[in-house]
Amino acid sequence: MKKVLITGGAGYIGSHIALALLDRDREVVVVDNLVNGSLQALARVETITGKKLFFYHGDIRSAADLDNIFRRHHIGEVIHMAGLKSVSESISRPDDYYQNNVVGTLNLLDSMRRARVRRLIFSSSATVYGPQPCCPVDESCPTGATTNPYGTTKLIAEHYLRELAAAEPQLAITALRYFNPIGAHESGLIGEDPCGIPTNLLPYIFQVAIGKLEHLCVYGTDYPTPDGTGVRDYIHIMDLAAGHLKALDNLQPGFRVYNLGTGKGYSVMEIINAVEKISGRQIKWQPRKRRKGDAAECYADPSLAQRELSWQAERCLEKMIADAWRWHSAYPQGYVKE
Ligand SMILES: NC(=O)c1ccc[n+]([C@@H]2O[C@H](COP(=O)([O-])OP(=O)(O)OC[C@H]3O[C@@H](n4cnc5c(N)ncnc54)[C@H](O)[C@@H]3O)[C@@H](O)[C@H]2O)c1
């Protein structure tokens, strides 16, 4: 059977997908420039699964790096996860985001064309729906009102892939719009390890729980939600990984897009309470004004993936937090920095 190439496979989501693929007896090749990924994550994936993967320290902006991999391995499918993902950083460094997320994607598709690889899964994001989506958000909800370069680069990449698939009918491309991936593999050996101060809610809360950060700032406590704080759809990382396997199984010529979410929203206060209960630690927090562009609530309608991919998220919030806590409490410093 042909191998699966994961770009960005040493990162948070990619390493969990690599694990799920190896568990399924697929051969996996990872390319990552390690700007935000870790070789430790991949070593632990090999330990957990008892299987080896192929790793290339390379960059998706380099045609030579990618062509070399396609020459050496018989790749059947690509899961394209490599990219930069911080909303705030994208506002101060838009060039880097366009280069990595847009130019990198064009470059990857060029290399795939030369290697005659025609099957691709693309990591997109619920941010493409823009700041005030109507919930539950289904795939037909309007896109295009992105408020930051990160979201715009994801949307541009989606448009490009859609138009490419229309022009080249042999291409089979699926874009998966993730809601909020959290949690860790249940071994607690791999998990999310953000560089510097985390920008996502859960890693931030866990850093407060382990005493690395003093308190959490809660932006907006007067939203029209049951407790006034923002509501989001959190999905367990292993459910997200399972969604990728189903998407691979169901890849068909053309361009498709699916939400990967649970369909249920939790407020910031509910998350804080759940982390306190599971970790036994107090989470100090302070109220702050709403941030411009933040929605009161955003949760998915995941029924299209359920119908067409036979996939649905199975793990509850307690499981997401318990698995994440196992990782963060065992490895408070994250991976050893290479
Ligand atoms: N984590 C989320 O909340 C979330 C939500 C929606 C979408 N996504 C998307 O999913 C993908 C993976 O996200 P993640 O959370 O695992 O992030 P991550 O930063 O942990 O993983 C991305 C990986 O890509 C690598 N990388 C970045 N630029 C590269 C380049 N030019 N060449 C090669 N490798 C490169 C990084 O080193 C990192 O290992 C990203 O495309 C992200 O935009 C993430």
Side-chain angles (χ1 to χ4, degrees), residues 43-268:
R44 291 184 190 179
V45 164
E46 292 186 333
T47 304
I48 296 164
T49 59
K51 291 172 187 160
K52 293 275 175 213
L53 50 71
F54 301 88
F55 173 73
Y56 288 84
H57 189 182
D59 199 298
I60 57 162
R61 293 165 294 178
S62 159
D65 286 358
L66 294 176
D67 287 349
N68 175 46
I69 294 169
F70 286 116
R71 243 191 328 269
R72 285 165 179 249
H73 299 274
H74 205 187
I75 304 288
E77 290 127 343
V78 178
I79 301 182
H80 176 32
M81 323 223 44
L84 302 179
K85 64 166 181 179
S86 159
V87 167
S88 53
E89 190 183 65
S90 77
I91 293 167
S92 55
R93 290 170 39 203
D95 277 13
D96 284 345
Y97 277 70
Y98 280 82
Q99 285 293 339
N100 281 278
N101 297 0
V102 179
V103 177
T105 301
L106 264 70
N107 199 40
L108 171 66
L109 268 293
D110 265 356
S111 250
M112 286 175 61
R113 185 182 293 112
R114 285 191 288 278
R116 298 185 202 287
V117 177
R118 302 192 168 103
R119 291 159 62 78
L120 177 84
I121 306 285
F122 173 64
S123 294
S124 189
S125 167
T127 53
V128 300
Y129 290 117
Q132 307 295 339
C134 51
C135 288
V137 185
D138 70 30
E139 290 81 353
S140 67
C141 284
T143 58
T146 51
T147 53
N148 56 75
Y150 168 67
T152 310
T153 60
K154 287 287 168 190
L155 193 60
I156 291 174
E158 270 198 23
H159 282 316
Y160 163 64
L161 294 172
R162 185 189 300 274
E163 285 165 1
L164 196 67
E168 299 181 21
Q170 322 90 308
L171 283 173
I173 301 179
T174 290
L176 299 174
R177 292 176 179 161
Y178 313 155
F179 279 66
N180 296 272
I182 63 168
H185 183 256
E186 60 183 9
S187 63
L189 287 174
I190 59 170
E192 187 168 12
D193 180 22
C195 287
I197 308 261
T199 49
N200 286 350
L201 178 64
L202 263 294
Y204 202 106
I205 294 188
F206 283 115
Q207 296 214 352
V208 176
I210 58 180
K212 273 172 90 177
L213 294 171
E214 185 64 25
H215 62 266
L216 170 76
C217 297
V218 176
Y219 294 97
T221 52
D222 57 352
Y223 283 115
T225 59
D227 61 27
T229 63
V231 168
R232 296 291 180 273
D233 185 336
Y234 298 93
I235 174 170
H236 194 293
I237 187 75
M238 293 312 296
D239 278 332
L240 194 84
H244 287 71
L245 267 55
K246 288 286 190 188
L248 275 184
D249 291 344
N250 289 282
L251 259 178
Q252 290 166 37
F255 178 84
R256 287 182 172 67
V257 59
Y258 297 99
N259 286 340
L260 292 186
T262 64
K264 183 161 173 42
Y266 288 97
S267 72
V268 176

